[in-house]
C-alpha cells in the first residue's frame, strides 16, 4: 500500500463578524411591567422599590417611560401628557391628594431609586421639564401636585436635580400670560419655604438664573413691584416680599451711586449733582440714611490714594471733603444723619489701614465745613455705640473735643 497521504478537500473558514443587533424599542412592555409591580403591591412604595430593584428591567433604555409611570400612572403619548395605550395604576403623583404629607413619600421613593440608579437623574430632569412646559394641559389641582413635588424635590436635594434646566420652562411667554406660572411658583414657594429660608430659595432661583426675574412670573398687566407685594403678601409670603423690596432698593441705590460717581469723576457742577441725588431719592423713595452712606462712599472712592505717603492721603481726603461739603451738607439734615456719617467715617477708617490715623482730621474738616454740628460730635464721643476701633478713635479725637468744650465754656 502506498504511504502517500490521501488528498483531502480543504478550505479557508471565513469568520463572520458578529453584529450588534439592536433590540427594538418597546416602552409599552416596560411600562406594563412597572405598572403591574405597582398594582401587585397595592401602591406600597417600599415594596415597589424592592421589586423594581430585583427586576431585570432595562432602566437605562426606558428611564423617561419609568418616570411617566411614576408621575401619571402609565405611559404618555410622545410630546404630550395625554395617556397612551397600556395598563395604568392609581398610585401616581398626579392621582394622589395635593398635600405635602401625601406627596413626600413619592419624593423619598424617587430618591431611593436614584441612589441605586443615579443615571436616571437625567430622565427625571427630562420628564419634569416636559411636564412644566405643558402646564396648560394639566388641571389646576394637578399643577398644584407638580408644584409640591418640585418644591419637595429641591428641599430634599434630590440627587442633584438641576434647577437651571427643570425650571427654565416657567419663563415661557404663553404660560406666563395665562397666569399658570404665577399660580405654579406660588404653590412652589409656599411649599419650599416650609422647611427652608428665603436665602435657600433665592439660591435655587440663582442657579436657575431667575433671581433677577421674579416679576417675569407675573402676566404683563400685573407686572409691578406693587403687584408683587400685593400678591405674595396675600399668600402669606411676606419674607419673599421683603427680599424683593430689598433687591429693588439695592438696584436703585446702585443706579444712583453709578450716576453720582460719573458726575464726580467728570467734575460736574455741585448743584447738578445735588439735583441728580434729589431726583433719584424722589423716584426711588430711598431712605436718607442710605443716601448719606452712599455719598460718603462715592466721595472717598474718587480720591486718588497714595500707597504709603500718609500726608498725601490726608491732604487728598481733606481736599475732597472741602470740595464736596455742600453736597454732604444738603443731605445731612439732622443730628441723626450727622451721627450716621460719623459712624460711616469710623467704619471706613477702621477697615482701611491707610486711613486709620485720618479719623480726627476728617471729623475736624467736616466740622469746619458745617457738615457736622458740635453737639453731634460730642454725642458720638460720649455715647457712640459702634465698637469698631472706638477706643483708638476716641483717644485720637480727644484734643479736638477738649477744644470744643473749652470754646463752649468761654461762650
Amino acid at each position: 500500500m502506498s504511504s502517500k497521504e490521501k488528498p483531502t478537500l480543504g478550505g479557508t473558514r471565513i469568520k463572520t463578524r458578529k453584529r450588534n443587533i439592536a433590540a427594538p424599542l418597546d416602552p409599552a412592555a416596560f411600562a406594563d411591567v412597572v405598572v403591574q409591580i405597582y398594582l401587585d403591591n397595592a401602591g406600597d412604595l417600599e415594596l415597589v422599590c424592592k421589586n423594581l430593584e430585583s427586576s431585570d428591567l432595562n432602566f437605562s433604555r426606558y428611564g423617561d417611560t419609568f418616570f411617566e409611570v411614576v408621575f401619571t400612572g402609565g405611559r404618555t403619548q410622545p410630546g404630550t401628557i395625554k395617556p397612551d395605550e397600556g395598563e395604568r395604576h392609581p398610585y401616581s403623583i398626579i392621582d394622589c391628594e395635593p398635600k405635602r404629607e401625601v406627596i413626600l413619600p413619592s419624593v423619598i421613593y424617587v430618591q431611593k431609586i436614584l441612589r441605586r440608579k443615579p443615571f436616571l437623574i437625567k430622565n427625571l430632569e427630562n420628564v419634569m421639564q416636559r411636564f412644566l412646559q405643558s402646564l396648560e394641559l394639566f388641571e389646576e389641582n394637578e399643577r398644584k401636585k407638580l408644584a409640591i413635588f418640585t418644591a419637595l424635590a429641591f428641599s430634599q436635594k434630590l440627587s442633584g436635580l438641576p434647577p437651571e434646566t427643570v425650571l427654565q420652562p416657567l419663563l415661557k411667554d404663553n404660560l406666563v400670560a395665562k397666569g399658570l406660572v404665577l399660580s405654579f411658583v406660588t404653590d412652589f414657594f409656599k411649599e419650599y419655604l416650609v422647611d427652608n429660608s428665603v436665602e435657600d430659595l433665592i439660591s435655587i432661583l440663582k442657579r436657575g438664573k431667575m433671581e433677577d426675574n421674579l416679576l417675569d412670573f407675573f402676566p404683563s398687566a400685573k407686572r409691578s413691584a406693587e403687584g408683587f407685594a400685593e400678591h405674595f403678601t396675600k399668600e402669606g409670603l411676606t419674607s419673599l416680599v421683603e427680599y424683593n423690596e430689598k433687591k429693588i432698593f439695592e438696584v436703585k441705590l446702585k443706579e444712583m451711586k453709578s450716576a453720582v460717581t460719573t458726575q464726580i469723576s467728570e467734575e460736574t457742577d455741585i448743584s447738578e449733582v445735588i439735583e441728580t441725588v434729589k431726583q433719584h431719592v424722589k423716584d426711588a423713595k430711598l431712605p436718607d440714611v442710605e443716601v448719606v452712606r452712599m455719598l460718603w462712599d462715592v466721595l472717598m472712592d474718587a480720591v486718588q490714594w497714595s500707597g504709603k505717603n500718609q500726608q498725601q492721603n490726608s491732604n487728598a481726603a481733606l481736599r475732597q471733603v472741602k470740595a464736596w461739603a455742600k453736597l454732604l451738607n444738603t443731605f445731612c439734615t439732622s443730628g441723626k444723619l450727622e451721627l450716621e456719617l460719623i459712624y460711616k467715617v469710623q467704619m471706613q477708617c477702621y477697615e482701611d489701614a491707610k486711613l486709620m490715623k485720618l479719623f480726627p482730621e476728617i471729623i475736624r474738616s467736616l466740622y469746619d465745613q458745617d457738615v457736622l454740628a458740635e453737639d453731634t460730635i460730642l454725642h458720638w464721643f460720649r455715647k457712640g455705640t459702634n465698637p469698631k476701633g472706638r477706643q483708638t478713635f476716641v483717644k485720637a479725637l480727644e484734643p479736638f473735643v477738649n477744644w470744643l468744650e473749652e470754646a463752649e465754656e468761654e461762650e
Side-chain angles (χ1 to χ4, degrees):
M1 292 181 63
S2 172
S3 61
K4 269 188 176 183
E5 191 176 339
K6 294 180 181 179
T8 59
L9 290 173
T12 305
R13 292 187 66 186
I14 300 173
K15 292 183 178 180
T16 57
R17 183 162 58 90
K18 290 184 179 179
R19 298 187 181 182
N20 293 324
I21 300 172
L25 283 171
D26 191 7
F30 175 90
D32 287 346
V33 173
V34 175
V35 168
Q36 194 58 49
I37 291 174
Y38 270 88
L39 295 172
D40 290 346
N41 293 281
D44 186 320
L45 296 178
E46 191 71 37
L47 296 176
V48 170
C49 189
K50 288 179 181 178
N51 279 269
L52 289 173
E53 187 182 356
S54 61
S55 72
D56 58 357
L57 289 167
N58 191 348
F59 284 91
S60 60
R61 198 169 199 193
Y62 302 112
D64 283 18
T65 303
F66 170 68
F67 284 113
E68 289 173 6
V69 175
V70 171
F71 276 97
T72 68
R75 278 200 312 143
T76 59
Q77 294 178 14
T80 75
I81 63 160
K82 293 180 180 178
D84 207 343
E85 296 177 358
E87 295 291 327
R88 309 193 74 76
H89 70 83
Y91 309 108
S92 69
I93 293 165
I94 292 299
D95 288 320
C96 70
E97 290 183 78
K99 294 180 180 177
R100 171 194 186 85
E101 60 273 18
V102 178
I103 295 176
L104 184 57
S106 292
V107 177
I108 295 170
Y109 157 71
V110 170
Q111 180 74 290
K112 287 179 180 177
I113 296 289
L114 291 174
R115 283 175 183 158
R116 293 172 174 85
K117 305 180 191 319
F119 58 86
L120 285 176
I121 189 66
K122 186 64 181 173
N123 302 104
L124 175 61
E125 180 187 332
N126 293 341
V127 172
M128 288 186 69
Q129 192 175 25
R130 176 150 51 90
F131 285 173
L132 295 192
Q133 284 174 338
S134 308
L135 280 179
E136 59 194 321
L137 302 178
F138 288 97
E139 299 292 331
E140 182 180 351
N141 215 25
E142 294 173 338
R143 289 194 292 270
K144 184 170 185 177
K145 296 167 192 176
L146 283 176
I148 294 173
F149 179 90
T150 306
L152 291 174
F154 286 123
S155 183
Q156 296 288 322
K157 297 179 174 57
L158 201 63
S159 295
L161 190 66
E164 53 269 30
T165 51
V166 171
L167 298 179
Q168 274 304 307
L170 296 179
L171 294 179
K172 285 181 67 176
D173 291 342
N174 64 317
L175 297 179
V176 172
K178 294 175 181 177
L180 300 177
V181 171
L182 180 57
S183 175
F184 181 91
V185 296
T186 300
D187 290 329
F188 173 82
F189 291 162
K190 287 170 77 172
E191 194 57 52
Y192 186 83
L193 290 172
V194 170
D195 291 328
N196 302 277
S197 66
V198 170
E199 289 72 24
D200 295 328
L201 175 61
I202 297 306
S203 177
I204 285 178
L205 295 176
K206 275 184 179 178
R207 287 179 58 196
K209 298 179 175 60
M210 293 177 168
E211 84 280 10
D212 293 327
N213 304 318
L214 295 183
L215 284 179
D216 290 350
F217 294 138
F218 284 72
S220 56
K222 300 179 180 178
R223 196 172 294 168
S224 66
E226 294 75 19
F228 185 100
E230 182 182 349
H231 173 79
F232 285 114
T233 299
K234 184 180 176 182
E235 295 293 338
L237 298 176
T238 52
S239 58
L240 189 62
V241 174
E242 290 167 2
Y243 166 82
N244 194 57
E245 288 174 347
K246 182 182 176 184
K247 185 81 176 174
I248 292 171
F249 165 76
E250 287 172 352
V251 169
K252 290 181 177 178
L253 191 64
K254 188 176 180 180
E255 288 172 353
M256 180 171 73
K257 185 174 182 179
S258 176
V260 175
T261 298
T262 300
Q263 288 185 318
I264 288 176
S265 66
E266 295 174 351
E267 298 183 354
T268 305
D269 186 270
I270 196 166
S271 59
E272 286 187 40
V273 180
I274 290 172
E275 284 306 310
T276 297
V277 176
K278 283 183 176 179
Q279 193 60 49
H280 276 277
V281 170
K282 181 181 176 182
D283 293 344
K285 300 176 183 176
L286 297 170
D288 294 337
V289 169
E290 294 298 335
V291 173
V292 169
R293 290 171 182 165
M294 181 277 299
L295 289 175
W296 183 257
D297 281 337
V298 170
L299 292 178
M300 291 299 103
D301 288 345
V303 174
Q304 298 296 318
W305 301 106
S306 169
K308 296 180 180 178
N309 193 315
Q310 191 69 18
Q311 190 57 48
Q312 284 185 12
N313 285 335
S314 175
N315 292 340
L318 298 181
R319 275 197 306 270
Q320 190 77 334
V321 169
K322 187 174 181 179
W324 296 97
K326 185 180 176 182
L327 176 63
L328 292 169
N329 211 355
T330 302
F331 297 97
C332 280
T333 54
S334 68
K336 180 182 177 182
L337 293 173
E338 291 176 18
L339 190 61
E340 283 297 332
L341 179 57
I342 297 179
Y343 285 140
K344 184 65 183 175
V345 175
Q346 176 185 347
M347 284 303 298
Q348 186 175 29
C349 291
Y350 173 77
E351 292 170 353
D352 193 333
K354 68 176 178 287
L355 302 180
M356 180 70 83
K357 294 182 180 179
L358 298 186
F359 180 77
E361 295 180 61
I362 292 173
I363 298 300
R364 175 68 184 259
S365 180
L366 289 168
Y367 170 78
D368 290 341
Q369 301 301 323
D370 294 327
V371 176
L372 295 179
E374 177 183 332
D375 289 346
T376 306
I377 296 171
L378 293 176
H379 177 83
W380 177 89
F381 185 81
R382 294 164 182 164
K383 300 179 180 178
T385 56
N386 192 325
K388 299 291 180 68
R390 176 170 170 77
Q391 192 173 354
T392 300
F393 295 139
V394 165
K395 188 174 181 181
L397 197 63
E398 192 170 4
F400 177 56
V401 170
N402 289 338
W403 178 82
L404 286 175
E405 290 175 334
E406 288 170 7
E408 188 179 21
E409 286 175 6
E410 288 177 9
E411 290 178 3

